[in-house]
Amino acid sequence: MELNAPAPVDNDGCDVIERVGIESSRLAHTIAEANAVYEIPRTAEAINSNGYMRVALQFPDELLADSSLVSSELQLQAPNARFFTLADTSYGSCCVDEVAAEHYSADLVVHYGRTCLSLTTRIPVLYVFGHEPIDIDDCATKVLAAVGSGANILLLSDVAYMHGIEDIASALRRSGNGGKYGDVAGGSVVTSRITSADCVYKPGGESTDIQAGRSWELPDGQAIGDYTILYIGQESLTLTNVLLTQRSQAVYSYDPRTRVLREEGAKANRHLGRRYYMVQQAKDADVVGIVVGTLAATRYLRVVEALKALLRQAQRKFYVFVVGKLNVAKLANFPEIDAFVLIACPENTLVDSREYFKPIVTPYELHLAITRSKEWTGDYITDFRDLLDELEDSPVLPDEEGEINDDTPHYSMITGKLKQQRRYADARQIAAESDSRSVVAAANKSTEIAQYLGSAGAEYLLNRSFRGLGHDEDGKSGSENEQSPPMLAVEGRSGIARGYDNEPHTFQ
């Protein structure tokens, strides 16, 4: 390649055409398999008994191949209802896509496959987890050989294996004396349950005993720290959430597909170390972006308002974004943001942001970073219910004179230097205390906009070398407010960025 040739920063675009998406595999090839795997009779009975007329079937990408077969069979067993399939969800496929369902005036959403088990806020939902095969005897044999005698075991699983969790517990209890919790050579076996798995959840209705996520009941006098967790399923965000939030003796995972049992202790330490590093990055952030990553999980609006109140108390600047599914390019459009906080379901909120330009933390991590009286004890919270209790019980504490005083710099573990925190005033308070004349006067002087209105975006714009046509320093003449005359439109470049038409093409 010659030196005068354009840099090959891109290809000819063929990779977009040849891109391979997520493979969709079929779990059911016959009507009988579809009825068993996707619980079609139970689904049709729930639709007919409740009189639902418009039903949305939400499939993840990996199960879309079965959507036509399931929809056709449901139409036969529930002839009075109309069915339509939802794909390419607004946020994560584990969350119920209430936004897309409301566009078609759905009465019910049937969610298939993996789910974060977040409860909906507007539309009833019926979860269908599916039934993936599992070798009960192989799992029990390997678990007993790994944990030894006298161990207390708490059984958790991916939703696709919930149908076999009681059978695994029974196989483990056969080595002991039985009882309510069972015994494993002196230890107890406790199984988790999903209350939203058995019936239709109706927001604001009669489903008061249904809880989000998984729940379990431990014997009196015992805590989670007395138990070894056995997770049934593949490596997933559910397992990561368990590793971070449950402080148990040990965590083992058994993959029914590969029949491999492994201990997850080292992985949990790596995850916690990475999250602690991101907390330190958020501690140095002056401008925070609140990214709304769900419109379905209950209490998400309360979390948004609680974080806004927390940032106002700490005199940090914040902006609220709704960008749909996250990717690097979307968040790179906001370079003035120092750190993002993602409000999403308990599983999607844990984002590995190493590829992003700025760190993405959870609401609990931002709470740890900003609240001076809060220290990380190793506990981790992703559930909105527990998080709201934390945010309301431990606000940013003022000093002895009743004011937030951030003039004292803190030591940054990221840069190894003292960090002076910037203090942004609340724009609403400034507007209330100032008359319109002073605001207009400040707006006429571009150098004072950021200081007066507390606008981090305006301040960042003033520091850029290019601020748009007609706003360059070289274009000024005469007085400060005099604008340059408009320019005539001229024909620009044509072609693509890797080689415009007026540039030499010296390579193939």
Side-chain angles (χ1 to χ4, degrees):
M1 182 186 302
E2 297 182 4
L3 295 179
N4 60 350
V9 296
D10 198 1
N11 54 31
D12 58 359
C14 64
D15 62 330
V16 177
I17 302 176
E18 299 173 355
R19 181 183 301 163
V20 178
I22 299 176
E23 295 184 1
S24 181
S25 58
R26 304 199 66 171
L27 297 181
H29 298 81
T30 64
I31 299 298
E33 292 179 349
N35 285 323
V37 174
Y38 293 101
E39 305 179 44
I40 294 179
R42 181 174 75 94
T43 305
E45 195 278 331
I47 294 172
N48 293 328
S49 61
N50 289 279
Y52 295 121
M53 303 300 296
R54 298 180 61 84
V55 181
L57 307 179
Q58 181 178 338
F59 287 85
D61 293 339
E62 59 269 18
L63 298 181
L64 273 178
D66 289 335
S67 61
S68 177
L69 178 62
V70 173
S71 178
S72 300
E73 185 62 20
L74 276 174
Q75 191 67 71
L76 294 176
Q77 298 188 25
N80 295 327
R82 293 186 59 187
F83 297 91
F84 51 92
T85 301
L86 299 180
D88 190 21
T89 54
S90 304
Y91 297 97
S93 60
C94 65
C95 298
V96 178
D97 195 351
E98 292 188 88
V99 176
E102 284 185 326
H103 289 169
Y104 294 92
S105 303
D107 302 323
L108 172 71
V109 177
V110 182
H111 186 284
Y112 294 95
R114 286 195 63 257
T115 172
C116 58
L117 300 172
S118 297
L119 301 181
T120 54
T121 58
R122 299 179 295 274
I123 300 179
V125 59
L126 175 65
Y127 286 112
V128 177
F129 301 143
H131 293 75
E132 294 199 24
I134 178 173
D135 191 330
I136 304 297
D137 294 334
D138 180 75
C139 176
T141 301
K142 292 181 177 178
V143 169
L144 291 175
V147 302
S149 60
N152 297 323
I153 298 178
L154 172 61
L155 283 175
L156 304 176
S157 75
D158 194 354
V159 293
Y161 302 103
M162 281 298 298
H163 64 93
I165 195 170
E166 290 294 340
D167 294 334
I168 297 175
S170 298
L172 293 173
R173 289 167 182 162
R174 292 192 194 107
S175 63
N177 302 320
K180 177 181 178 181
Y181 297 99
D183 293 320
V184 182
S188 300
V189 178
V190 178
T191 58
S192 62
R193 63 191 184 98
I194 299 177
T195 56
S196 58
D198 301 328
C199 60
V200 176
Y201 172 73
K202 302 176 182 179
E206 302 175 354
S207 308
T208 55
D209 57 338
I210 296 180
Q211 299 177 355
R214 297 163 175 82
S215 60
W216 53 83
E217 180 184 355
L218 301 181
D220 294 337
Q222 292 186 347
I224 189 66
D226 301 324
Y227 279 75
T228 295
I229 293 179
L230 172 60
Y231 177 81
I232 310 298
Q234 292 77 41
E235 183 175 354
S236 62
L237 293 175
T238 303
L239 177 57
T240 302
N241 193 40
V242 170
L243 293 174
L244 292 179
T245 57
Q246 304 301 328
R247 301 183 66 182
S248 59
Q249 289 182 350
V251 178
Y252 287 87
S253 67
Y254 177 80
D255 188 346
R257 296 179 181 176
T258 61
R259 299 185 179 183
V260 173
L261 177 75
R262 65 181 182 183
E263 187 173 2
E264 303 288 351
K267 182 184 297 184
N269 294 333
R270 289 196 301 269
H271 277 299
L272 286 173
R274 175 64 184 170
R275 305 310 301 187
Y276 183 76
Y277 175 76
M278 295 170 66
V279 169
Q280 299 304 317
Q281 289 181 300
K283 188 176 182 180
D284 293 347
D286 296 317
V287 185
V288 178
I290 302 176
V291 181
V292 180
T294 180
L295 297 179
T298 55
R299 301 182 178 89
Y300 81 93
L301 285 177
R302 288 183 57 190
V303 175
V304 173
E305 294 301 323
L307 289 180
K308 291 164 66 174
L310 183 70
L311 291 168
R312 289 192 187 101
Q313 284 183 310
Q315 295 183 334
R316 309 281 181 99
K317 187 64 179 178
F318 64 86
Y319 296 91
V320 181
F321 303 95
V322 180
V323 296
K325 291 182 179 179
L326 293 185
N327 59 47
V328 177
K330 287 181 180 179
L331 298 190
N333 289 320
F334 310 102
E336 64 269 26
I337 304 297
D338 298 324
F340 292 93
V341 52
L342 176 61
I343 300 176
C345 68
E347 295 184 4
N348 283 332
T349 191
L350 298 171
V351 176
D352 186 0
S353 58
R354 281 177 288 188
E355 296 182 355
Y356 291 79
F357 293 97
K358 299 297 173 63
I360 304 176
V361 299
T362 67
Y364 181 66
E365 290 168 348
L366 182 66
H367 175 49
L368 290 174
I370 291 181
T371 307
R372 294 177 294 174
S373 61
K374 185 71 175 178
E375 294 183 0
W376 197 1
T377 61
D379 294 332
Y380 205 88
I381 300 175
T382 57
D383 187 80
F384 284 169
R385 294 171 298 178
D386 300 330
L387 177 62
L388 286 171
D389 294 337
E390 282 281 332
L391 294 176
E392 294 171 357
D393 292 342
S394 55
V396 179
L397 296 179
D399 56 18
E400 296 179 355
E401 298 180 357
E403 297 181 355
I404 303 295
N405 188 0
D406 288 335
D407 292 336
T408 303
H410 69 272
Y411 179 78
S412 171
M413 298 183 67
I414 304 300
T415 62
K417 301 177 181 179
L418 291 177
K419 173 70 167 60
Q420 181 68 51
Q421 204 73 48
R422 304 196 63 177
R423 302 171 64 182
Y424 287 93
D426 189 354
R428 299 181 305 175
Q429 180 180 0
I430 293 177
E433 296 177 354
S434 306
D435 55 15
S436 59
R437 182 178 304 176
S438 61
V439 173
V440 173
N444 289 335
K445 298 181 180 180
S446 60
T447 58
E448 297 180 4
I449 292 179
Q451 295 177 358
Y452 191 82
L453 295 180
S455 173
E459 184 178 10
Y460 185 84
L461 178 64
L462 294 176
N463 294 327
R464 294 185 59 177
S465 58
F466 177 74
R467 300 195 296 272
L469 298 176
H471 295 277
D472 295 329
E473 296 294 336
D474 297 337
K476 292 185 177 181
S477 60
S479 64
E480 182 179 349
N481 297 328
E482 183 178 351
Q483 298 182 355
S484 302
M487 297 176 57
L488 295 176
V490 296
E491 183 178 356
R493 291 182 176 182
S494 60
I496 60 177
R498 71 187 298 267
Y500 292 101
D501 294 344
N502 63 332
E503 295 178 338
H505 300 275
T506 58
F507 63 94
Q508 298 295 331

